[in-house]
Amino acid sequence: MNSSKIVTVFGGTGFVGRYVVARLAKAGWHVRIAVRDRTQSSFLSCCGDVGSVTSVYVDVTNKDALAQVISGSTAVVNLIGILFEGGGQRFANLHSVLPGMLAEISQKNEVSAFVQISAIGADVSSPSAYGRSKGEGEAAVLKSFPSASVLRPSIVFGPEDDFFNRFAHMAAVSPFLPLVGGGVAKFQPVYVGDVAEAVFRCVERPEEYGGQIYELGGPRVLSFRDCLDLLQKYTGCSRSYLTLPFPVAYVQALFMELLPQPPLTRDQLKMLKKDNIVASTALGFDEFNISPVDVEVVLPTYLKMYSRE
């Protein structure tokens, strides 16, 4: 392991983060995971050689603390993100302000590579607060660190994902599955391992991949209904579909938002009104020479646990 290759990862204990940490550690990087609770990252310590993955407590609202964690880093990766607001977690703070702070500190510390994980749909003029905050975060990053790499994945799937697993749980207990807005919204499911590989290449070769925005999607475009069809295929479930027009879903989301972890929010409904697919003019996996894995190659490997057969 080359001790001079130090990458600090924010959000490294999350679904995508754990794959990014593992990929970087495997390649010989010393990975420093910035966390709120060090016990939550202990499972990642075995990803590389002994001592190659360490965790450091940091208060992301404290600029001096962030500077201390980033100091000495060769690269910085920011994966921090939330799907809904709650408690003290707000889109504006975590998606808009924090990325800009991290990029500014990284630039001052002469970090070689900065990778910002965003999302397809990020747009400062988005009607969704989530999409708007993601767009603002991208702008703040590129303003402070012009050579940063910004990655916008579509819906990310894998064994620990929060999409197929969520609906598989629902199919196990409910007689029907909801089709919000008729289930016509389109996605381009992307495998978590492919996203991690793209992050790795941006960290390794910032001179080649820096200063650009990339949209990452799998080889197939699927409607929301198509995704649920695949889920039922590989779980062996046979559930009826219940179409939820947007006005009806809006009322339901209004009450769901009262839950600690709402399965649906009004802001998410705004995102569902627009397709979540790679733009025809966008840079993507081709630039990384990565052939993304098809969703049906991976889904059976983890959805089989929901099968009743």
Side-chain angles (χ1 to χ4, degrees), residues 39-51:
T39 60
Q40 293 181 350
S41 61
S42 58
F43 70 98
L44 292 168
S45 61
C46 61
C47 286
D49 295 335
V50 176

Side-chain angles (χ1 to χ4, degrees), residues 18-240:
R18 64 189 65 185
Y19 285 83
V20 169
V21 168
R23 181 66 185 92
L24 290 164
K26 180 181 178 181
W29 282 81
H30 179 93
V31 185
R32 182 190 295 162
I33 310 173
V35 296
R36 289 180 298 173
D37 183 352
R38 294 185 65 183
T39 60
Q40 293 181 350
S41 61
S42 58
F43 70 98
L44 292 168
S45 61
C46 61
C47 286
D49 295 335
V50 176
S52 66
V53 178
T54 58
S55 60
V56 181
Y57 168 78
V58 65
D59 176 1
V60 296
T61 65
N62 187 319
K63 198 169 184 179
D64 290 335
L66 292 174
Q68 187 173 355
V69 170
I70 290 173
S71 178
S73 301
T74 309
V76 172
V77 179
N78 179 36
L79 297 114
I80 291 178
I82 55 174
L83 294 175
F84 55 85
E85 296 182 317
Q89 296 189 321
R90 292 290 180 265
F91 291 142
N93 294 335
L94 296 178
H95 293 173
S96 303
V97 177
L98 179 60
M101 287 174 56
L102 295 177
E104 180 184 354
I105 294 168
S106 296
Q107 186 73 284
K108 289 180 179 178
N109 279 270
E110 299 182 345
V111 169
S112 298
F114 187 97
V115 185
Q116 169 71 12
I117 306 302
S118 186
I120 288 180
D123 187 340
V124 293
S125 61
S126 172
S128 157
Y130 173 89
R132 194 162 56 249
S133 65
K134 283 289 190 178
E136 290 166 353
E138 290 181 358
V141 165
L142 292 172
K143 179 180 179 181
S144 295
F145 202 117
S147 62
S149 302
V150 176
L151 304 182
R152 295 175 174 173
S154 182
I155 185 169
V156 183
F157 69 89
E160 307 89 354
D161 71 49
D162 191 43
F163 182 79
F164 286 104
N165 279 298
R166 179 192 300 184
F167 285 102
H169 279 296
M170 188 180 296
V173 299
S174 173
F176 62 84
L177 290 173
L179 287 179
V180 178
V184 298
K186 293 179 181 178
F187 302 97
Q188 204 164 339
V190 57
Y191 177 51
V192 63
D194 292 332
V195 175
E197 182 63 28
V199 172
F200 165 70
R201 298 192 187 190
C202 288
V203 168
E204 283 273 302
R205 300 199 291 275
E207 70 286 349
E208 183 175 352
Y209 298 119
Q212 300 287 351
I213 296 175
Y214 303 89
E215 297 196 349
L216 307 180
R220 266 200 285 176
V221 172
L222 300 171
S223 69
F224 183 40
R225 179 165 185 155
D226 291 334
C227 291
L228 295 187
D229 284 344
L230 286 179
L231 181 145
Q232 299 214 65
K233 174 181 177 180
Y234 291 116
T235 59
C237 290
S238 180
R239 299 289 183 260
S240 299

